[in-house]
Amino acid sequence: MGQPWEKYAKYYTNIRLEYQIYPDVQYHSGRKKALTHFLSMDRIFKTDYFYNRFEVRAKENLKREMELLQD
């Protein structure tokens, strides 16, 4: 989640492929629920090392993906 956007975009694209049996409306609803869960957490990463290194970018990526699902 905390990788540069280009890598994160490949990650969420692969997640969509994994769930390709679901129509967009159903997938988007479930994916938004998962993204909302992560965004509501005080800390996605529990160790200080990963938190300090990846937390900000991870939340930026999640928010950006969420915006793409708003269509």
Side-chain angles (χ1 to χ4, degrees):
M1 288 184 215
Q3 296 300 311
W5 175 252
E6 295 76 23
K7 284 188 177 185
Y8 181 80
K10 288 179 186 177
Y11 164 76
Y12 79 72
T13 299
N14 286 331
I15 291 173
R16 181 62 181 115
L17 288 173
E18 185 176 348
Y19 291 94
Q20 65 185 334
I21 63 169
Y22 298 103
D24 284 345
V25 71
Q26 193 174 8
Y27 173 78
H28 288 187
S29 174
R31 185 69 180 154
K32 284 189 239 182
K33 187 175 180 179
L35 296 174
T36 299
H37 168 75
F38 282 113
L39 288 168
S40 72
M41 299 171 74
D42 290 331
R43 289 176 68 138
I44 295 170
F45 300 99
K46 305 307 179 197
T47 64
D48 289 339
Y49 174 81
F50 287 102
Y51 175 81
N52 292 330
R53 188 161 183 192
F54 297 115
E55 188 80 12
V56 171
R57 183 174 285 155
K59 288 195 174 181
E60 289 171 356
N61 286 339
L62 295 170
K63 288 176 188 175
R64 192 168 173 183
E65 182 186 357
M66 181 75 87
E67 291 172 4
L68 295 173
L69 294 172
Q70 297 303 325
D71 298 336

